[in-house]
Amino acid sequence: PLPECSHVANHDKGKVADSLDKASEEQENVVGLMSQDPLRTDTEQNNSEATTDKDAFRMNQRETEAHQTRLQHLCRICGGSFKADPYKRSHPVHGPVDNVMQAVLRKKEKRATSWPELLAKVFKIDVRGDIDTIHPTNFCHNCWNFIQKKFSNVPCELYFPRKGPVEWHPHSSSCEVCGTLSRGVKRKQQALNPQVSKKLRIMARRARQIRPVRGPKQVNSKSLMKKIVNCNKIHLSTKNFAVDYPADFVKAVSCQICEHILADPVETTCKHLFCRVCILKCLKVMGSYCPSCRYPCFPTDLVSPVKSFLSILNNLPLRCPAKECDEEISLEKYCHHLSSHKDAKDKEGYVHINKGGRPRQHLLSLTRRAQKHRLRELKLQVK
C-alpha cells in the first residue's frame, strides 16, 4: 500500500477505538450508578405506574360520565330513546304525578301522589332504590300514555314496546347502552316463510269475501245473545222501576245484553256496562269481543264501575211485585224484602199443613212412638 493511504487508514482505526472506549466507560458509569443508587430507579418506576393508574382512572371516569349522559336520553321502563319522539317529551321517574294523570285518577276514584306508586301498580317495578349511574331518571311519553290507558280504559291503539320492563346493569366494557345508542336498537326482521305468507294472503282474501255477508246476520245477534244468557228468572226487568225514568237513563242502568237492571255490574275497556253473568257467558260462546261495539275484550279486562255509579244504582226505587204489598224498596234492599214475603208464605203453608191445630214440637223432644208417627208423616209429605 501507499504510505498516504496507510496513514489515513490508521487514523480512522484510531477514531473507532476511541469511540468504543468512551461507550464502554459510559456503560460502566451507568452500572455503577445503578449499583450505588437502586432506590432512585424504584421511585421512577412507581411514578410511571402512578401516572398510568391516574390516566386509567380518568378514562373510567370519563366513560361513566358519558354513560350517565347517555342514560338521560333513555326511558327507564321500556329503554326507548327520547329522540324517537318528535316533541322530545319525558317525565321524571321520582317526581309528583302531573295534573292530567291526577284528573284521570280522580275520575276512577283512585289516588296516587307520586310516580313510583303508579309505576309499581302498572309495571310492577320498584324505582325507589334506583342509582343515577345505573338507571335512567326519566320515562318516555309512550309509557305515560300506557299508564293513562290503564287507568282511563280508553280504547286506543297503544302498545307496550317490550314484553316487560328493561333490566339495567352497571357500566362495563360490553355495555349495551354505550354500544347501541349511536346506531340504535333494531329488531331482528324474520324472513317470511313462503307457505305462511301464502296462507295469510288466502285468509285475508276469504275475510274480505265473508265481511259483507256478516252484515245482515248481526241484526239478530241481540236476540241470540238473550237466548244464550237466559237470565229472565234471576235478573229484574226495567218495568219494576217505581219512577218513570227517561229512556236514556234506563239504558244507562241496564245491561247491554239482556236489557235488565244491572246485577253485579262490570265495565269493559270500551266503557260499556254488563251484568257479570251475561258478559262472561257471551265471551265464552260468541268470542272475545264487546257485544256492543265488537272491540276486543277479555274476562281479565272487566272491572267494577266507580263507587258513585254503584251508589246511584243501589238507591234506585223499585216497586214490590207482591199483590198485597205496594212498598217502594231500593235495589239494594230488594232481595231482603222479597225473602221476608217468602218466609211469610212458607209459614202460612206450614200452618195449613198442620191439621192438629197446635204447634209441632221438635222431633227429639217427642217420645219414641210419637217420633215414629212424625217420621211417617214427613215421609208421606216428601213423596
Side-chain angles (χ1 to χ4, degrees), residues 76-104:
R76 166 67 178 87
I77 300 160
C78 66
S81 177
F82 297 143
K83 294 176 183 177
D85 187 8
Y87 300 103
K88 304 290 189 297
R89 292 168 292 186
S90 62
H91 305 273
V93 171
H94 300 286
V97 179
D98 55 2
N99 295 329
V100 179
M101 192 62 70
Q102 280 183 354
V104 171

PDB file of all heavy atoms in Angstrom, residues 76-104:
ATOM      1  N   ARG A  76     -86.704   4.845  31.359  1.00  0.00           N
ATOM      2  CA  ARG A  76     -86.422   3.937  32.474  1.00  0.00           C
ATOM      3  C   ARG A  76     -87.190   2.628  32.345  1.00  0.00           C
ATOM      4  O   ARG A  76     -86.726   1.579  32.768  1.00  0.00           O
ATOM      5  CB  ARG A  76     -86.810   4.637  33.792  1.00  0.00           C
ATOM      6  CG  ARG A  76     -86.903   3.752  35.024  1.00  0.00           C
ATOM      7  CD  ARG A  76     -85.547   3.217  35.413  1.00  0.00           C
ATOM      8  NE  ARG A  76     -85.597   2.412  36.612  1.00  0.00           N
ATOM      9  CZ  ARG A  76     -85.857   1.111  36.653  1.00  0.00           C
ATOM     10  NH1 ARG A  76     -86.108   0.455  35.515  1.00  0.00           N
ATOM     11  NH2 ARG A  76     -85.856   0.453  37.790  1.00  0.00           N
ATOM     12  N   ILE A  77     -88.364   2.646  31.707  1.00  0.00           N
ATOM     13  CA  ILE A  77     -89.239   1.473  31.688  1.00  0.00           C
ATOM     14  C   ILE A  77     -88.996   0.613  30.458  1.00  0.00           C
ATOM     15  O   ILE A  77     -88.697  -0.568  30.556  1.00  0.00           O
ATOM     16  CB  ILE A  77     -90.711   1.922  31.769  1.00  0.00           C
ATOM     17  CG1 ILE A  77     -90.929   2.705  33.067  1.00  0.00           C
ATOM     18  CG2 ILE A  77     -91.638   0.732  31.731  1.00  0.00           C
ATOM     19  CD1 ILE A  77     -92.132   3.584  33.065  1.00  0.00           C
ATOM     20  N   CYS A  78     -89.118   1.225  29.258  1.00  0.00           N
ATOM     21  CA  CYS A  78     -89.018   0.438  28.021  1.00  0.00           C
ATOM     22  C   CYS A  78     -87.644   0.502  27.377  1.00  0.00           C
ATOM     23  O   CYS A  78     -87.356  -0.258  26.463  1.00  0.00           O
ATOM     24  CB  CYS A  78     -90.070   0.902  27.018  1.00  0.00           C
ATOM     25  SG  CYS A  78     -89.827   2.579  26.415  1.00  0.00           S
ATOM     26  N   GLY A  79     -86.771   1.429  27.816  1.00  0.00           N
ATOM     27  CA  GLY A  79     -85.436   1.546  27.242  1.00  0.00           C
ATOM     28  C   GLY A  79     -85.384   2.262  25.910  1.00  0.00           C
ATOM     29  O   GLY A  79     -84.332   2.313  25.280  1.00  0.00           O
ATOM     30  N   GLY A  80     -86.511   2.836  25.469  1.00  0.00           N
ATOM     31  CA  GLY A  80     -86.532   3.560  24.200  1.00  0.00           C
ATOM     32  C   GLY A  80     -85.878   4.925  24.303  1.00  0.00           C
ATOM     33  O   GLY A  80     -85.773   5.515  25.384  1.00  0.00           O
ATOM     34  N   SER A  81     -85.424   5.443  23.176  1.00  0.00           N
ATOM     35  CA  SER A  81     -84.759   6.743  23.145  1.00  0.00           C
ATOM     36  C   SER A  81     -85.786   7.863  23.007  1.00  0.00           C
ATOM     37  O   SER A  81     -86.795   7.711  22.320  1.00  0.00           O
ATOM     38  CB  SER A  81     -83.771   6.794  21.978  1.00  0.00           C
ATOM     39  OG  SER A  81     -83.172   8.062  21.886  1.00  0.00           O
ATOM     40  N   PHE A  82     -85.520   8.991  23.692  1.00  0.00           N
ATOM     41  CA  PHE A  82     -86.403  10.145  23.594  1.00  0.00           C
ATOM     42  C   PHE A  82     -86.306  10.806  22.214  1.00  0.00           C
ATOM     43  O   PHE A  82     -87.158  11.619  21.859  1.00  0.00           O
ATOM     44  CB  PHE A  82     -86.061  11.181  24.668  1.00  0.00           C
ATOM     45  CG  PHE A  82     -86.256  10.661  26.065  1.00  0.00           C
ATOM     46  CD1 PHE A  82     -85.390  11.009  27.087  1.00  0.00           C
ATOM     47  CD2 PHE A  82     -87.313   9.824  26.358  1.00  0.00           C
ATOM     48  CE1 PHE A  82     -85.574  10.530  28.371  1.00  0.00           C
ATOM     49  CE2 PHE A  82     -87.506   9.328  27.648  1.00  0.00           C
ATOM     50  CZ  PHE A  82     -86.632   9.683  28.653  1.00  0.00           C
ATOM     51  N   LYS A  83     -85.267  10.476  21.445  1.00  0.00           N
ATOM     52  CA  LYS A  83     -85.120  11.048  20.109  1.00  0.00           C
ATOM     53  C   LYS A  83     -86.204  10.545  19.156  1.00  0.00           C
ATOM     54  O   LYS A  83     -86.485  11.177  18.142  1.00  0.00           O
ATOM     55  CB  LYS A  83     -83.743  10.701  19.538  1.00  0.00           C
ATOM     56  CG  LYS A  83     -82.596  11.343  20.315  1.00  0.00           C
ATOM     57  CD  LYS A  83     -81.261  10.894  19.774  1.00  0.00           C
ATOM     58  CE  LYS A  83     -80.112  11.484  20.610  1.00  0.00           C
ATOM     59  NZ  LYS A  83     -78.804  11.001  20.141  1.00  0.00           N
ATOM     60  N   ALA A  84     -86.812   9.396  19.476  1.00  0.00           N
ATOM     61  CA  ALA A  84     -87.885   8.871  18.624  1.00  0.00           C
ATOM     62  C   ALA A  84     -89.134   9.736  18.695  1.00  0.00           C
ATOM     63  O   ALA A  84     -89.932   9.758  17.754  1.00  0.00           O
ATOM     64  CB  ALA A  84     -88.217   7.436  19.030  1.00  0.00           C
ATOM     65  N   ASP A  85     -89.330  10.435  19.815  1.00  0.00           N
ATOM     66  CA  ASP A  85     -90.489  11.322  19.970  1.00  0.00           C
ATOM     67  C   ASP A  85     -90.176  12.660  19.319  1.00  0.00           C
ATOM     68  O   ASP A  85     -89.181  13.302  19.672  1.00  0.00           O
ATOM     69  CB  ASP A  85     -90.788  11.510  21.452  1.00  0.00           C
ATOM     70  CG  ASP A  85     -92.076  12.289  21.685  1.00  0.00           C
ATOM     71  OD1 ASP A  85     -92.795  12.545  20.707  1.00  0.00           O
ATOM     72  OD2 ASP A  85     -92.350  12.645  22.842  1.00  0.00           O
ATOM     73  N   PRO A  86     -90.980  13.131  18.359  1.00  0.00           N
ATOM     74  CA  PRO A  86     -90.667  14.419  17.706  1.00  0.00           C
ATOM     75  C   PRO A  86     -90.721  15.600  18.654  1.00  0.00           C
ATOM     76  O   PRO A  86     -90.047  16.608  18.443  1.00  0.00           O
ATOM     77  CB  PRO A  86     -91.735  14.529  16.617  1.00  0.00           C
ATOM     78  CG  PRO A  86     -92.816  13.596  17.021  1.00  0.00           C
ATOM     79  CD  PRO A  86     -92.165  12.505  17.791  1.00  0.00           C
ATOM     80  N   TYR A  87     -91.526  15.489  19.743  1.00  0.00           N
ATOM     81  CA  TYR A  87     -91.643  16.588  20.703  1.00  0.00           C
ATOM     82  C   TYR A  87     -90.678  16.467  21.875  1.00  0.00           C
ATOM     83  O   TYR A  87     -90.662  17.337  22.755  1.00  0.00           O
ATOM     84  CB  TYR A  87     -93.077  16.664  21.236  1.00  0.00           C
ATOM     85  CG  TYR A  87     -94.096  16.895  20.163  1.00  0.00           C
ATOM     86  CD1 TYR A  87     -94.896  15.841  19.704  1.00  0.00           C
ATOM     87  CD2 TYR A  87     -94.264  18.140  19.579  1.00  0.00           C
ATOM     88  CE1 TYR A  87     -95.841  16.041  18.702  1.00  0.00           C
ATOM     89  CE2 TYR A  87     -95.198  18.351  18.582  1.00  0.00           C
ATOM     90  CZ  TYR A  87     -95.986  17.302  18.151  1.00  0.00           C
ATOM     91  OH  TYR A  87     -96.900  17.500  17.158  1.00  0.00           O
ATOM     92  N   LYS A  88     -89.880  15.366  21.928  1.00  0.00           N
ATOM     93  CA  LYS A  88     -88.882  15.139  22.985  1.00  0.00           C
ATOM     94  C   LYS A  88     -89.525  15.221  24.381  1.00  0.00           C
ATOM     95  O   LYS A  88     -89.010  15.847  25.294  1.00  0.00           O
ATOM     96  CB  LYS A  88     -87.741  16.162  22.881  1.00  0.00           C
ATOM     97  CG  LYS A  88     -87.044  16.201  21.527  1.00  0.00           C
ATOM     98  CD  LYS A  88     -86.215  14.970  21.270  1.00  0.00           C
ATOM     99  CE  LYS A  88     -85.358  15.083  20.027  1.00  0.00           C
ATOM    100  NZ  LYS A  88     -86.116  15.230  18.789  1.00  0.00           N
ATOM    101  N   ARG A  89     -90.672  14.564  24.534  1.00  0.00           N
ATOM    102  CA  ARG A  89     -91.378  14.616  25.821  1.00  0.00           C
ATOM    103  C   ARG A  89     -90.859  13.524  26.747  1.00  0.00           C
ATOM    104  O   ARG A  89     -90.646  12.394  26.331  1.00  0.00           O
ATOM    105  CB  ARG A  89     -92.881  14.439  25.609  1.00  0.00           C
ATOM    106  CG  ARG A  89     -93.542  15.594  24.893  1.00  0.00           C
ATOM    107  CD  ARG A  89     -94.945  15.250  24.462  1.00  0.00           C
ATOM    108  NE  ARG A  89     -94.957  14.232  23.414  1.00  0.00           N
ATOM    109  CZ  ARG A  89     -96.049  13.829  22.775  1.00  0.00           C
ATOM    110  NH1 ARG A  89     -97.207  14.366  23.076  1.00  0.00           N
ATOM    111  NH2 ARG A  89     -95.985  12.902  21.842  1.00  0.00           N
ATOM    112  N   SER A  90     -90.675  13.871  28.016  1.00  0.00           N
ATOM    113  CA  SER A  90     -90.237  12.907  29.033  1.00  0.00           C
ATOM    114  C   SER A  90     -90.829  13.317  30.379  1.00  0.00           C
ATOM    115  O   SER A  90     -91.199  14.470  30.580  1.00  0.00           O
ATOM    116  CB  SER A  90     -88.713  12.859  29.117  1.00  0.00           C
ATOM    117  OG  SER A  90     -88.205  14.118  29.506  1.00  0.00           O
ATOM    118  N   HIS A  91     -90.887  12.352  31.292  1.00  0.00           N
ATOM    119  CA  HIS A  91     -91.490  12.574  32.609  1.00  0.00           C
ATOM    120  C   HIS A  91     -90.542  12.032  33.669  1.00  0.00           C
ATOM    121  O   HIS A  91     -89.982  10.941  33.500  1.00  0.00           O
ATOM    122  CB  HIS A  91     -92.841  11.875  32.697  1.00  0.00           C
ATOM    123  CG  HIS A  91     -93.790  12.271  31.599  1.00  0.00           C
ATOM    124  ND1 HIS A  91     -94.612  13.358  31.676  1.00  0.00           N
ATOM    125  CD2 HIS A  91     -94.002  11.729  30.369  1.00  0.00           C
ATOM    126  CE1 HIS A  91     -95.316  13.471  30.556  1.00  0.00           C
ATOM    127  NE2 HIS A  91     -94.963  12.483  29.750  1.00  0.00           N
ATOM    128  N   PRO A  92     -90.366  12.750  34.795  1.00  0.00           N
ATOM    129  CA  PRO A  92     -89.443  12.284  35.834  1.00  0.00           C
ATOM    130  C   PRO A  92     -89.975  11.065  36.571  1.00  0.00           C
ATOM    131  O   PRO A  92     -91.169  10.987  36.881  1.00  0.00           O
ATOM    132  CB  PRO A  92     -89.333  13.495  36.773  1.00  0.00           C
ATOM    133  CG  PRO A  92     -90.587  14.259  36.553  1.00  0.00           C
ATOM    134  CD  PRO A  92     -90.983  14.045  35.124  1.00  0.00           C
ATOM    135  N   VAL A  93     -89.082  10.116  36.832  1.00  0.00           N
ATOM    136  CA  VAL A  93     -89.478   8.869  37.494  1.00  0.00           C
ATOM    137  C   VAL A  93     -89.843   9.123  38.948  1.00  0.00           C
ATOM    138  O   VAL A  93     -90.793   8.541  39.477  1.00  0.00           O
ATOM    139  CB  VAL A  93     -88.332   7.836  37.383  1.00  0.00           C
ATOM    140  CG1 VAL A  93     -88.612   6.625  38.244  1.00  0.00           C
ATOM    141  CG2 VAL A  93     -88.163   7.397  35.950  1.00  0.00           C
ATOM    142  N   HIS A  94     -89.103  10.005  39.623  1.00  0.00           N
ATOM    143  CA  HIS A  94     -89.291  10.222  41.056  1.00  0.00           C
ATOM    144  C   HIS A  94     -90.097  11.476  41.363  1.00  0.00           C
ATOM    145  O   HIS A  94     -90.186  11.889  42.511  1.00  0.00           O
ATOM    146  CB  HIS A  94     -87.928  10.331  41.740  1.00  0.00           C
ATOM    147  CG  HIS A  94     -87.091   9.099  41.571  1.00  0.00           C
ATOM    148  ND1 HIS A  94     -87.343   7.933  42.245  1.00  0.00           N
ATOM    149  CD2 HIS A  94     -86.021   8.837  40.769  1.00  0.00           C
ATOM    150  CE1 HIS A  94     -86.458   7.014  41.901  1.00  0.00           C
ATOM    151  NE2 HIS A  94     -85.649   7.529  40.993  1.00  0.00           N
ATOM    152  N   GLY A  95     -90.687  12.112  40.360  1.00  0.00           N
ATOM    153  CA  GLY A  95     -91.418  13.350  40.590  1.00  0.00           C
ATOM    154  C   GLY A  95     -92.866  13.108  40.969  1.00  0.00           C
ATOM    155  O   GLY A  95     -93.366  11.978  40.981  1.00  0.00           O
ATOM    156  N   PRO A  96     -93.610  14.191  41.269  1.00  0.00           N
ATOM    157  CA  PRO A  96     -95.039  14.063  41.579  1.00  0.00           C
ATOM    158  C   PRO A  96     -95.854  13.829  40.313  1.00  0.00           C
ATOM    159  O   PRO A  96     -95.439  14.152  39.204  1.00  0.00           O
ATOM    160  CB  PRO A  96     -95.374  15.415  42.216  1.00  0.00           C
ATOM    161  CG  PRO A  96     -94.371  16.352  41.637  1.00  0.00           C
ATOM    162  CD  PRO A  96     -93.121  15.563  41.404  1.00  0.00           C
ATOM    163  N   VAL A  97     -97.049  13.279  40.490  1.00  0.00           N
ATOM    164  CA  VAL A  97     -97.941  12.990  39.363  1.00  0.00           C
ATOM    165  C   VAL A  97     -98.454  14.304  38.781  1.00  0.00           C
ATOM    166  O   VAL A  97     -98.823  15.219  39.518  1.00  0.00           O
ATOM    167  CB  VAL A  97     -99.116  12.108  39.827  1.00  0.00           C
ATOM    168  CG1 VAL A  97    -100.069  11.828  38.688  1.00  0.00           C
ATOM    169  CG2 VAL A  97     -98.596  10.806  40.390  1.00  0.00           C
ATOM    170  N   ASP A  98     -98.473  14.406  37.451  1.00  0.00           N
ATOM    171  CA  ASP A  98     -98.906  15.652  36.817  1.00  0.00           C
ATOM    172  C   ASP A  98    -100.420  15.808  36.897  1.00  0.00           C
ATOM    173  O   ASP A  98    -101.146  14.894  37.290  1.00  0.00           O
ATOM    174  CB  ASP A  98     -98.429  15.706  35.363  1.00  0.00           C
ATOM    175  CG  ASP A  98     -98.873  14.499  34.562  1.00  0.00           C
ATOM    176  OD1 ASP A  98     -99.569  13.658  35.142  1.00  0.00           O
ATOM    177  OD2 ASP A  98     -98.542  14.391  33.379  1.00  0.00           O
ATOM    178  N   ASN A  99    -100.910  16.985  36.507  1.00  0.00           N
ATOM    179  CA  ASN A  99    -102.331  17.327  36.667  1.00  0.00           C
ATOM    180  C   ASN A  99    -103.234  16.473  35.783  1.00  0.00           C
ATOM    181  O   ASN A  99    -104.344  16.105  36.184  1.00  0.00           O
ATOM    182  CB  ASN A  99    -102.540  18.809  36.327  1.00  0.00           C
ATOM    183  CG  ASN A  99    -101.824  19.722  37.294  1.00  0.00           C
ATOM    184  OD1 ASN A  99    -101.662  19.371  38.458  1.00  0.00           O
ATOM    185  ND2 ASN A  99    -101.385  20.874  36.827  1.00  0.00           N
ATOM    186  N   VAL A 100    -102.765  16.139  34.587  1.00  0.00           N
ATOM    187  CA  VAL A 100    -103.591  15.338  33.671  1.00  0.00           C
ATOM    188  C   VAL A 100    -103.842  13.947  34.249  1.00  0.00           C
ATOM    189  O   VAL A 100    -104.969  13.445  34.260  1.00  0.00           O
ATOM    190  CB  VAL A 100    -102.907  15.231  32.286  1.00  0.00           C
ATOM    191  CG1 VAL A 100    -103.733  14.385  31.342  1.00  0.00           C
ATOM    192  CG2 VAL A 100    -102.664  16.611  31.701  1.00  0.00           C
ATOM    193  N   MET A 101    -102.783  13.319  34.760  1.00  0.00           N
ATOM    194  CA  MET A 101    -102.927  11.988  35.341  1.00  0.00           C
ATOM    195  C   MET A 101    -103.748  12.027  36.626  1.00  0.00           C
ATOM    196  O   MET A 101    -104.514  11.096  36.917  1.00  0.00           O
ATOM    197  CB  MET A 101    -101.538  11.399  35.614  1.00  0.00           C
ATOM    198  CG  MET A 101    -101.547   9.922  35.944  1.00  0.00           C
ATOM    199  SD  MET A 101    -102.172   8.877  34.616  1.00  0.00           S
ATOM    200  CE  MET A 101    -100.863   9.011  33.432  1.00  0.00           C
ATOM    201  N   GLN A 102    -103.608  13.098  37.410  1.00  0.00           N
ATOM    202  CA  GLN A 102    -104.431  13.224  38.615  1.00  0.00           C
ATOM    203  C   GLN A 102    -105.909  13.326  38.271  1.00  0.00           C
ATOM    204  O   GLN A 102    -106.766  12.765  38.976  1.00  0.00           O
ATOM    205  CB  GLN A 102    -103.987  14.454  39.412  1.00  0.00           C
ATOM    206  CG  GLN A 102    -102.746  14.210  40.254  1.00  0.00           C
ATOM    207  CD  GLN A 102    -102.365  15.420  41.080  1.00  0.00           C
ATOM    208  OE1 GLN A 102    -102.962  16.480  40.943  1.00  0.00           O
ATOM    209  NE2 GLN A 102    -101.374  15.268  41.930  1.00  0.00           N
ATOM    210  N   ALA A 103    -106.224  14.041  37.174  1.00  0.00           N
ATOM    211  CA  ALA A 103    -107.625  14.139  36.741  1.00  0.00           C
ATOM    212  C   ALA A 103    -108.167  12.772  36.323  1.00  0.00           C
ATOM    213  O   ALA A 103    -109.310  12.418  36.645  1.00  0.00           O
ATOM    214  CB  ALA A 103    -107.735  15.123  35.583  1.00  0.00           C
ATOM    215  N   VAL A 104    -107.340  11.984  35.629  1.00  0.00           N
ATOM    216  CA  VAL A 104    -107.752  10.631  35.217  1.00  0.00           C
ATOM    217  C   VAL A 104    -107.993   9.747  36.434  1.00  0.00           C
ATOM    218  O   VAL A 104    -108.993   9.024  36.511  1.00  0.00           O
ATOM    219  CB  VAL A 104    -106.676  10.004  34.298  1.00  0.00           C
ATOM    220  CG1 VAL A 104    -106.967   8.536  34.039  1.00  0.00           C
ATOM    221  CG2 VAL A 104    -106.602  10.755  32.979  1.00  0.00           C
TER     222      VAL A 104
END
